[in-house]
Amino acid sequence: MAAAFVSGAGAALGRVNKVAAIQSKSVKAAVPVKAGRIAMMAEMSKSIPFLEKPKNLDGSMAGDVGFDPLGFSDKWDVKFLREAELKHGRICMLAALGFIYPEIMGGKSIPSPEGYFTELNPLKAVKTIPTAGLLQIVLFVMVLEAISWNKVFMDKTSAPGDFKFDPLGLKSPKMELSEVKNGRLAMIAVGGMIHQVLLTKQPILAQLKNGPYLPKESMFPIW
């Protein structure tokens, strides 16, 4: 009797240990899956920590910190978006300089048929350009767009914004990041300059020097 009891108890204990071992393995197998799911859910944007990281922004491009709150990268090719960003950034860096350069030179920076273009308000200055001059500007822009068309829309192998133009040999990862950052800053700056001129009706540097820093009258008429 005692031997049978001991044998039965041992068998029961063995079954309990076997079940416990199976359950332990199941728990261990489930933990990595659960942890993986939590890690995937917790992958958030570096620039906007309360939003999920955009799936098409992998951080490989200079300046990519996962900022895409409107989801453009889900709708359009990321390379096309970078081409557009670089092009507008470069234009605005030139525009930011163009807004203040005539003031720095005292209105004697750009020759005209009558001497110099002396209008310092950059928005009013557009009206002082002869029709032939405006047509030359439009033609120049059209030529540049024609040159870039094939690269932007047809060539899928070249890097965005790379037109092999680097006469000073400055190309490097650091300079690529600097261009992106300064281009983004310039786009914001030019938008601010345009609104500053619209509201105060003064050139940029004159308004900063003389005020008012807030408009005291209606922004209309603009010109």
Side-chain angles (χ1 to χ4, degrees), residues 77 79-80 83 150-160:
D77 180 42
K79 288 186 65 177
F80 171 78
E83 288 275 7
N150 182 70
K151 180 189 182 305
V152 173
F153 295 101
M154 306 300 292
D155 186 359
K156 302 298 182 182
T157 59
S158 62

Side-chain angles (χ1 to χ4, degrees), residues 73-92:
S73 62
D74 295 330
K75 302 174 184 177
W76 292 284
D77 180 42
V78 175
K79 288 186 65 177
F80 171 78
L81 294 176
R82 175 47 61 94
E83 288 275 7
E85 180 182 32
L86 288 173
K87 178 179 288 188
H88 287 85
R90 291 165 179 172
I91 291 171
C92 286

Side-chain angles (χ1 to χ4, degrees), residues 199-211:
L199 293 172
T200 65
K201 303 175 182 61
Q202 298 182 76
I204 303 299
L205 300 183
Q207 189 268 337
L208 293 175
K209 180 180 179 181
N210 304 323

Side-chain angles (χ1 to χ4, degrees), residues 79-162:
K79 288 186 65 177
F80 171 78
L81 294 176
R82 175 47 61 94
E83 288 275 7
E85 180 182 32
L86 288 173
K87 178 179 288 188
H88 287 85
R90 291 165 179 172
I91 291 171
C92 286
M93 283 189 280
L94 292 172
L97 177 62
F99 259 71
I100 62 175
Y101 180 70
E103 281 190 90
I104 294 175
M105 300 301 294
K108 295 183 179 181
S109 58
I110 305 174
S112 75
E114 290 77 26
Y116 290 95
F117 290 103
T118 56
E119 178 57 64
L120 300 182
N121 184 318
L123 300 185
K124 288 184 178 180
V126 176
K127 288 189 172 184
T128 67
I129 302 175
T131 302
L134 290 174
L135 290 176
Q136 289 177 19
I137 294 172
V138 172
L139 180 61
F140 180 68
V141 171
M142 291 174 64
V143 170
L144 291 180
E145 288 295 320
I147 293 173
S148 64
W149 175 271
N150 182 70
K151 180 189 182 305
V152 173
F153 295 101
M154 306 300 292
D155 186 359
K156 302 298 182 182
T157 59
S158 62
D162 184 5

Side-chain angles (χ1 to χ4, degrees), residues 142-212:
M142 291 174 64
V143 170
L144 291 180
E145 288 295 320
I147 293 173
S148 64
W149 175 271
N150 182 70
K151 180 189 182 305
V152 173
F153 295 101
M154 306 300 292
D155 186 359
K156 302 298 182 182
T157 59
S158 62
D162 184 5
F163 290 90
K164 309 301 180 185
F165 180 79
D166 185 20
L168 300 179
L170 299 176
K171 184 177 180 179
S172 67
K174 180 180 179 181
M175 295 303 293
E176 288 180 13
L177 179 59
S178 296
E179 181 182 32
V180 171
K181 287 186 174 181
N182 284 281
R184 291 169 178 172
L185 179 61
M187 286 187 277
I188 296 173
V190 169
M193 289 178 177
I194 292 173
H195 285 81
Q196 180 177 331
V197 173
L198 287 173
L199 293 172
T200 65
K201 303 175 182 61
Q202 298 182 76
I204 303 299
L205 300 183
Q207 189 268 337
L208 293 175
K209 180 180 179 181
N210 304 323

